[in-house]
């Protein structure tokens, strides 16, 4: 996992939100502080981190969650969106054969990346060829040849030739169309006129589909300036950020390069040829924040936005103000999904739990009985379930065509759900117990 400690800190923040009794000014202040600290520790630019948390605070204060979504989930979504926004644009990178020019300074991982990209294409069934155009260092040519043998791809070099662009022309004449051609160009210790001129000549000869800058993530924030300079000089289509595995400054490099205008396309995550991964900002943030749960939460948000009748029910459930009326709204909105407590499984860190098939049917049947019982209650009873005692129970049972025992079961379930609601977010056992109880219709042990 890349950027382990940043991910860990941010997941800690989300957990804190999920477990809090309510989202208030104090929690918000704490969350903002935690996020700032996490970002700064990952070397994200101070101003960038401050701006981000300022937006989080402003949005959390001014914007309203969609109906049926809790303030907690809403805050989590805001954090997700704001972190996503500093990672730049998403770019597709398909498997069609293409011509790739790699640029970069010495030691950034250019040659290694050439080998990794060749492996990437070979694995996808696209023939690839490595072209050695680093004419200044003979050792670089040998290194590339070794890599081509490991990958099992084509290779071209011309050790007597001093003009990189000439080597490229020869290579183009040699390999058939539909070959991905990856050119490892020469590096320098700094960006100078000579380097840029050579890159331009090679680009002229190659007519690349992609010009990728290879950058070491250990540069931290200064990777942004380097990306900017190369982008202006030769025009980049993307950046490969290498050695993200060994760098505590990954966050700084990622966020700084993102603002340079050239999208980050790949991350180098180790020395081995397989250690290259596509960088997709949205997926990256999902993973950083705890992946699957976040995705589910976001999808759920989309649904809830349209569901006016589920208004605030989840929020009430979490804050302990869950009325029978809320419970009815939830049964209506979650009717096809299962028990009320299923909603809790969308809280990050809890994962979702499968209910056995038979149990699900029973749950559905019970939901229908509950719905009938709730329909026989008066508005006062729906708002204050504690009014329902003695004769009222019999009246509701008669009205709904259910047994009094079932009415008591509903009240018991409501009471348990209400009381347990926030405990549940951090208590798996209790949640399972509730689900079982709901499906089987038995009071909790
Ligand atoms: P070049 O001068 O830009 O061609 O850089 P090289 O490809 O020769 O790489 C320089 C060093 O960085 C080598 O020791 C590589 O093994 C190492 N390296 C390259 N990419 C990565 C990476 O993603 N992670 C790690 N840990 N090391 C890498
Ligand atoms: Mg090299």
């Amino acid at each position: 996992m890349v950027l382990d400690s940043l991910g860990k800190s941010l997941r800690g923040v989300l957990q804190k939100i999920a477990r809090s009794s309510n989202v208030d000014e104090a929690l918000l202040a704490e969350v903002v502080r935690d996020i700032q600290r996490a970002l700064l520790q990952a070397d994200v630019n101070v101003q960038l981190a401050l701006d981000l948390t300022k937006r989080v605070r402003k949005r959390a204060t001014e914007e309203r969650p969609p109906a049926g979504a809790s303030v907690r989930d809403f805050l989590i979504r805001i954090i997700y969106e704001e972190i996503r926004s500093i990672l730049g644009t998403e770019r597709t990178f398909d498997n069609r054969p293409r011509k790739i020019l790699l640029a970069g300074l010495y030691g950034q991982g250019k040659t290694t990346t050439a080998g990794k990209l060749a492996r990437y294409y070979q694995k996808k069934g696209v023939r690839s060829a490595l072209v050695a155009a680093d004419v200044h260092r003979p050792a670089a040519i040998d290194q590339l040849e070794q890599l081509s043998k490991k990958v099992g791809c084509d290779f071209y070099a011309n050790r007597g030739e001093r003009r990189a662009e000439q080597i490229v022309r020869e290579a183009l004449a040699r390999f058939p169309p539909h070959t991905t051609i990856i050119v490892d160009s020469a590096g320098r210790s700094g960006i100078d006129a000579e380097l840029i001129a050579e890159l331009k000549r090679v680009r002229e000869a190659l007519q690349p589909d992609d010009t990728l800058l290879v950058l070491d993530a250990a540069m931290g924030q200064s990777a942004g300036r380097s990306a900017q300079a190369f982008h202006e000089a030769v025009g980049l289509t993307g950046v490969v950020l290498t050695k993200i595995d060994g760098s505590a400054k990954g966050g700084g490099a990622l966020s700084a390069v993102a603002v340079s205008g050239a999208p980050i396309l790949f991350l180098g995550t180790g020395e081995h040829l397989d250690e290259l991964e596509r960088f997709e900002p949205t997926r990256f943030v999902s993973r950083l924040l705890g992946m699957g749960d976040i995705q589910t939460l976001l999808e759920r948000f989309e649904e809830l936005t349209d569901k006016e009748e589920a208004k605030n029910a989840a929020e009430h459930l979490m804050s302990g103000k869950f009325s029978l009326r809320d419970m009815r709204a939830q049964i209506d909105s979650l009717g096809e999904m299962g028990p009320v407590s299923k909603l809790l499984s969308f809280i990050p860190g809890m994962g979702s739990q499968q209910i056995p098939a038979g149990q699900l049917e029973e749950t559905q049947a019970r939901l229908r009985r509950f719905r009938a019982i709730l329909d026989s209650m008066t508005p006062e009873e729906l708002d204050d379930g504690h009014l329902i005692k003695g004769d009222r129970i019999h009246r509701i049972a008669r009205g709904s065509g259910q047994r009094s025992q079932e009415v008591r079961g509903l009240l018991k379930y409501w009471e348990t759900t209400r009381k347990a609601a926030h405990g549940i977010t951090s208590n798996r056992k209790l949640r399972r117990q509730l689900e079982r109880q709901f499906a089987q219709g038995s009071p909790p042990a």
Side-chain angles (χ1 to χ4, degrees), residues 163-376:
R163 293 164 301 163
E165 64 276 17
Q166 178 57 26
I167 297 172
V168 166
R169 278 192 286 270
E170 291 166 10
L172 285 176
R174 185 185 184 101
F175 297 115
H178 311 298
T179 304
T180 278
I181 293 178
I182 302 161
V183 176
D184 183 25
S185 68
R188 296 283 199 288
S189 49
I191 306 177
D192 55 29
E194 236 183 287
L195 171 65
I196 296 302
E198 184 173 292
L199 271 175
K200 283 184 175 165
R201 286 197 305 273
V202 170
R203 197 182 52 184
E204 188 57 33
L206 181 63
Q207 300 288 323
D209 300 292
D210 272 292
T211 303
L212 304 183
L213 176 65
V214 179
L215 276 176
D216 185 339
M219 290 175 82
Q221 291 174 36
S222 63
R225 282 190 293 280
S226 197
Q228 189 73 44
F230 270 97
H231 195 32
E232 277 162 17
V234 292
L236 302 172
T237 59
V239 171
V240 181
L241 214 48
T242 63
K243 310 184 201 180
I244 201 96
D245 50 308
S247 168
K249 296 182 168 183
L254 276 172
S255 52
V257 172
V259 298
S260 75
I264 301 169
L265 280 181
F266 289 95
L267 299 180
T269 57
E271 294 193 348
H272 296 109
L273 284 171
D274 289 317
E275 290 171 316
L276 179 78
E277 49 182 74
R278 271 286 283 128
F279 178 74
E280 292 155 312
T282 302
R283 264 189 54 203
F284 182 81
V285 181
S286 298
R287 204 169 73 171
L288 203 60
L289 296 182
M291 192 52 196
D293 292 338
I294 284 281
Q295 215 49 49
T296 318
L297 183 80
L298 295 176
E299 281 161 21
R300 183 90 191 104
F301 252 95
E302 302 301 313
E303 291 168 28
L304 282 177
T305 310
D306 306 329
K307 278 191 177 165
E308 208 46 46
E309 73 274 24
K311 199 175 170 189
N312 297 331
E315 200 178 315
H316 286 168
L317 177 62
M318 297 302 171
S319 62
K321 284 182 283 184
F322 188 63
S323 69
L324 286 168
R325 189 186 294 282
D326 292 324
M327 185 165 141
R328 187 178 65 178
Q330 279 211 326
I331 288 177
D332 288 350
S333 71
L334 301 175
E336 295 309 304
M337 297 174 56
V340 171
S341 54
K342 182 112 210 277
L343 191 75
L344 296 170
S345 67
F346 293 117
I347 303 297
M350 297 189 66
S352 58
Q353 200 183 311
Q354 282 305 116
I355 305 165
Q359 209 168 312
L360 185 64
E361 260 169 46
E362 254 205 73
T363 301
Q364 295 299 335
R366 193 147 198 247
L367 274 178
R368 282 192 292 275
R369 293 201 295 278
F370 275 10
R371 191 67 182 78
I373 291 170
L374 289 162
D375 277 343
S376 290

Side-chain angles (χ1 to χ4, degrees), residues 107-112 116 137 143 243 245 268-271:
Q108 305 279 304
K110 196 158 21 72
T111 304
T112 309
K116 287 176 174 180
R137 295 194 301 177
Q143 187 191 351
K243 310 184 201 180
D245 50 308
T269 57
E271 294 193 348

Side-chain angles (χ1 to χ4, degrees), residues 41-116:
Q41 263 165 17
D43 186 48
V44 172
N45 175 276
V46 179
Q47 196 55 49
L48 200 63
L50 288 178
D51 288 347
L52 185 151
T53 47
K54 213 155 113 190
R55 285 196 304 274
V56 168
R57 185 189 270 278
K58 187 165 156 38
R59 290 185 58 190
T61 317
E62 291 175 5
E63 293 177 20
R64 300 282 312 137
S70 72
V71 178
R72 272 179 202 72
D73 290 354
F74 189 54
L75 179 56
I76 289 169
R77 187 175 75 156
I78 290 172
I79 293 169
Y80 165 86
E81 286 174 350
E82 292 303 331
I83 293 177
R84 165 68 190 83
S85 78
I86 65 165
L87 289 177
T89 46
E90 193 112 29
R91 219 205 88 179
T92 55
F93 194 82
D94 60 38
N95 308 325
R96 268 178 299 204
R98 66 183 70 205
K99 293 179 286 181
I100 302 172
L101 172 59
L102 293 179
L105 303 178
Y106 283 146
Q108 305 279 304
K110 196 158 21 72
T111 304
T112 309
T113 299
K116 287 176 174 180

